[in-house]
């Protein structure tokens, strides 16, 4: 079973070990720099990229504005095509629904297409608790699962592993899960891919139940879309008799024509490909006599904090995300800290704005995530749906600093006033008083200049963290106003 993110420490603490791990930093630097250079080249080939980006933003914003309408339309379309739609308010409800559906088939094994939504709700762990084994079939997810690890990147969950580490994981763990790795396995990519292929094939051929997410859901026809590079998704979507798809409610697009935009921007932004090697689309169920595909299809529509996020006028833009991971690959903080430090299946810049909105800011890690950024803006520049991540980060910092903790109790959002920022508020009140009393301000400045040799080099108490990484500005020997009066001979403010 993969590790979980429950009880993670705050970002700076979690990032500390990663920053001091030269192997991890080397792996991340190599991978992110390679992908970002390829992405830049793939994007530069498209002359109307800016227009595509704007179109993607507009389509997502329009859909989110009318989400209630499109969700009902989607439910009708899926039902008409033979599928069954389930609504899950949170992770527990989604896990209960999926577990019940698998149990109803009498099966104790499922094969999975890579899916962020099922990781978000901890579905594998919930299934395991009921005696159902979930097998990840995406190569990187397989590496993470066999290594009892956690994903650290949206697109390449095992980006923190190099080839030697992957060879060791395969050789050590595959036999406990099914077909063992071949003897004498080396770390060449072709051999590693072949070992995974052989290991997974027997699972594909045996599985009666498949579980997926979806990149998009088309409201007008009830069609779900999965884009992937390995073909494992196509196997999971066509071979098992029962397919259960768990999808966040924001993944909807109104029409097939809208897909045209995203099927251009997503592959170039994620894998730097002109089009995806495998784009699988399915609508409801299929007839066993005439076609491949599921005989039974269930769609679980997941909220889990999304409607709360939608209610926030600034933060809601995070729901436009198409999970391309371009923002991770350009982020200087992600490159050094790695994905695990973000304490969520959503790492990097998008994770820093999505996790605190989906989960609230009650935990140490979620309250620290809006600060896990230098606000350089590189993430916004590359985002194919123009999410202004720095804007949302600043907005969430404000919420953490002023509003205290935002927690979710079931479907309700609860605001708990902050306790830890009393010193900051007192300092702001004192500054307001001083700035509105010029005489007192002048006396204070002169006193500060005269006593400057006695000033501490670092601030005590809550200010300690601030001066821990920067120098306290030196107080000048003479206040500016006195210098101005002495050298310019005039009076301040024209007096
Ligand atoms: S925020 Fe934008 S760049 Fe980052 S994963 Fe989402 S769509 Fe891609």
């Amino acid at each position: 079973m993969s590790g979980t993110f429950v009880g993670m420490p705050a970002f700076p603490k979690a990032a500390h070990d990663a920053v001091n791990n030269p192997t991890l930093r080397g792996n991340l630097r190599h991978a992110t720099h390679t992908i970002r250079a390829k992405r830049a080249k793939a994007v530069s080939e498209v002359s109307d990229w800016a227009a595509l980006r704007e179109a993607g933003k507009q389509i997502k914003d329009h859909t989110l504005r009318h989400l209630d309408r499109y969700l009902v339309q989607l439910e009708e379309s899926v039902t008409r095509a033979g599928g069954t739609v389930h609504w899950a308010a949170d992770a527990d409800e989604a896990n209960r629904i999926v577990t019940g559906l698998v149990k109803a088939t009498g099966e104790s094994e499922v094969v999975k297409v890579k899916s962020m939504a099922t990781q978000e709700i901890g579905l594998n762990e919930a299934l395991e608790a009921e005696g159902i084994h979930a097998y990840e079939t995406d190569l990187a997810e397989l590496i993470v699962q066999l290594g009892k690890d956690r994903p650290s990147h949206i697109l390449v969950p095992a980006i923190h592993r190099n080839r030697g580490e992957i060879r060791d994981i395969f050789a050590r763990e595959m036999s406990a899960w099914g077909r063992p790795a071949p003897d004498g396995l080396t770390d060449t990519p072709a051999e590693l891919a072949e070992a995974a292929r052989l290991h997974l094939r027997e699972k594909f051929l045996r599985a009666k139940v498949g579980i997926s997410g979806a990149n998009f859901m088309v409201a007008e026809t009830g069609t779900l879309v999965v884009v992937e590079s390995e073909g494992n998704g196509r196997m999971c979507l066509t071979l098992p008799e029962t397919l259960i798809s768990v999808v966040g409610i924001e993944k909807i697009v109104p029409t097939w024509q809208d897909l045209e935009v995203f099927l251009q921007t997503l592959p170039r932004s994620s894998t730097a490909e002109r089009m995806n090697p495998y784009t699988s689309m399915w609508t409801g169920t299929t007839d066993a006599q005439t076609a491949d595909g599921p005989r039974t299809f269930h769609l679980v529509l997941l909220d889990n904090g999304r409607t709360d996020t939608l209610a926030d006028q600034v933060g809601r833009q995070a729901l436009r995300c198409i999970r391309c991971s371009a923002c991770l690959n350009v982020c200087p903080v992600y490159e050094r800290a790695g994905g695990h430090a973000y304490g969520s299946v959503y790492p990097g810049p998008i994770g820093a704005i999505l996790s605190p909105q989906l989960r609230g800011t009650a935990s140490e890690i979620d309250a620290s995530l809006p600060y896990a950024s230098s606000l350089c803006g590189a993430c916004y520049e590359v985002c194919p749906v123009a999410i202004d991540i720095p804007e949302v980060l600043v907005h969430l910092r404000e919420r953490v600093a002023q509003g205290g903790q935002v927690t979710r109790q079931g479907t309700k959002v609860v605001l708990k006033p902050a306790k830890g920022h009393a010193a900051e508020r007192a300092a702001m009140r004192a500054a307001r008083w001083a700035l509105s009393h010029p005489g007192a301000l002048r006396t204070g400045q002169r006193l500060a200049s005269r006593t400057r040799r006695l000033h501490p080099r670092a601030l005590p108490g809550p200010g300690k963290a601030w001066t821990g990484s920067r120098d306290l500005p030196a107080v000048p020997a003479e206040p500016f106003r006195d210098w101005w009066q002495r050298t310019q001979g005039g009076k301040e403010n024209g007096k």
Side-chain angles (χ1 to χ4, degrees), residues 154 266 269 317-318 320-328 349-351 353 379-380 382-387 389:
I154 290 177
L266 179 55
S269 299
Q317 56 187 306
R320 279 188 221 138
C321 178
I322 55 172
R323 312 279 190 264
C324 72
S325 76
C327 58
L328 278 67
I350 181 59
I353 61 168
C379 47
Y380 172 60
V382 297
C383 179
V385 282
I387 299 173
I389 294 177

Side-chain angles (χ1 to χ4, degrees), residues 42-79:
V43 166
S44 68
E45 291 174 352
V46 184
S47 59
D48 61 346
W49 183 259
L52 281 171
R53 186 178 188 238
E54 182 59 25
K57 172 179 183 280
Q58 298 281 347
I59 292 167
K60 283 282 182 179
D61 279 349
H62 166 84
T63 314
L64 290 169
R65 253 196 321 275
H66 304 286
L67 194 57
D68 51 345
R69 171 152 62 85
Y70 287 121
L71 281 169
V72 170
Q73 189 188 3
L74 177 79
E75 182 181 33
E76 287 166 1
S77 304
V78 170
T79 309

Side-chain angles (χ1 to χ4, degrees), residues 109-444:
E109 289 184 343
V110 299
V111 284
K112 284 187 70 204
V113 189
K114 181 179 179 317
S115 146
M116 306 296 298
T118 60
Q119 287 175 8
E120 177 190 320
I121 61 175
L123 179 63
N124 287 11
E125 291 77 7
L127 289 171
E128 197 68 43
E130 296 291 328
I132 300 162
H133 306 297
Y135 298 116
E136 296 290 348
T137 63
D138 172 83
L139 177 57
E141 290 291 357
L142 176 70
I143 295 163
V144 168
Q145 186 173 45
L146 293 177
K148 300 177 183 64
D149 204 349
R150 294 192 307 266
S152 68
H153 191 275
I154 290 177
L155 187 72
V156 198
I159 197 170
H160 54 290
R161 297 289 190 191
N162 59 34
R163 288 179 353 212
E165 291 174 303
I166 295 167
R167 190 253 339 269
D168 294 346
I169 290 171
F170 280 8
R172 194 176 64 236
E173 303 290 342
M174 269 186 171
S175 57
W177 291 77
R179 182 177 173 133
D183 288 339
L185 179 68
T186 73
D187 68 356
T188 56
E191 280 196 34
L192 294 174
E194 182 63 6
R197 201 175 285 131
L198 294 171
H199 178 81
L200 290 172
R201 184 148 302 165
E202 61 175 26
K203 296 190 169 22
F204 287 133
L205 295 176
R206 202 170 60 211
K208 296 276 185 283
V209 182
I211 293 182
S212 82
N215 295 90
F216 306 100
M217 304 182 286
V218 185
E220 66 177 353
T221 55
T223 304
L224 272 71
V225 184
V226 161
V227 291
E228 41 118 9
S229 303
E230 297 167 13
N232 65 298
R234 179 70 57 85
M235 300 280 238
C236 293
L237 299 168
T238 50
L239 292 176
E241 290 164 10
T242 300
L243 176 62
I244 304 166
S245 300
V246 183
V247 189
I249 52 175
E250 82 285 15
K251 291 296 180 72
I252 209 163
V253 293
T255 67
W256 273 72
Q257 199 174 4
D258 298 322
L259 274 182
E260 178 192 331
V261 172
F262 300 111
L263 292 182
Q264 291 179 75
T265 52
L266 179 55
R268 287 180 195 263
S269 299
S270 54
T271 48
E273 288 165 309
R274 291 176 182 141
M275 65 181 288
N276 275 94
Y278 293 88
T279 302
S280 300
M281 300 173 172
W282 69 102
T283 309
T285 53
T286 50
D287 178 355
Q289 307 305 318
T290 57
D292 289 333
R295 319 284 176 260
T296 310
F297 171 57
H298 295 276
L299 171 61
V300 181
L301 289 171
L302 178 70
D303 185 327
N304 206 30
R306 285 159 175 80
T307 46
D308 297 340
T309 307
L310 191 58
D312 186 314
Q313 289 191 7
V314 178
R316 68 172 60 143
Q317 56 187 306
L319 297 177
R320 279 188 221 138
C321 178
I322 55 172
R323 312 279 190 264
C324 72
S325 76
C327 58
L328 278 67
N329 300 329
V330 295
C331 176
V333 176
Y334 175 85
E335 184 188 326
R336 285 155 184 85
H340 291 157
Y342 292 81
S344 160
V345 294
Y346 303 111
I350 181 59
I353 61 168
L354 196 56
S355 305
Q357 296 199 83
L358 293 180
R359 306 192 299 206
T361 51
S363 71
E364 225 190 329
I365 181 74
D366 289 317
S368 69
L369 284 177
Y371 298 90
S373 168
S374 64
L375 302 180
C376 71
C379 47
Y380 172 60
E381 293 297 319
V382 297
C383 179
V385 282
I387 299 173
D388 193 340
I389 294 177
E391 183 191 23
V392 183
L393 285 166
V394 172
H395 171 68
L396 293 174
R397 287 179 189 186
E398 196 182 338
R399 187 197 274 184
V400 171
Q402 292 186 349
Q405 295 176 344
V406 180
T407 56
R408 296 181 64 242
Q409 292 174 1
T411 52
K412 254 174 68 186
V413 180
V414 180
L415 202 64
K416 190 170 145 212
K419 284 188 215 146
H421 301 285
E424 189 184 335
R425 282 202 296 274
M428 288 299 155
R429 269 201 301 274
R432 190 168 58 203
W433 183 87
L435 291 169
S436 55
H437 294 81
L441 180 65
R442 187 177 297 116
T443 307

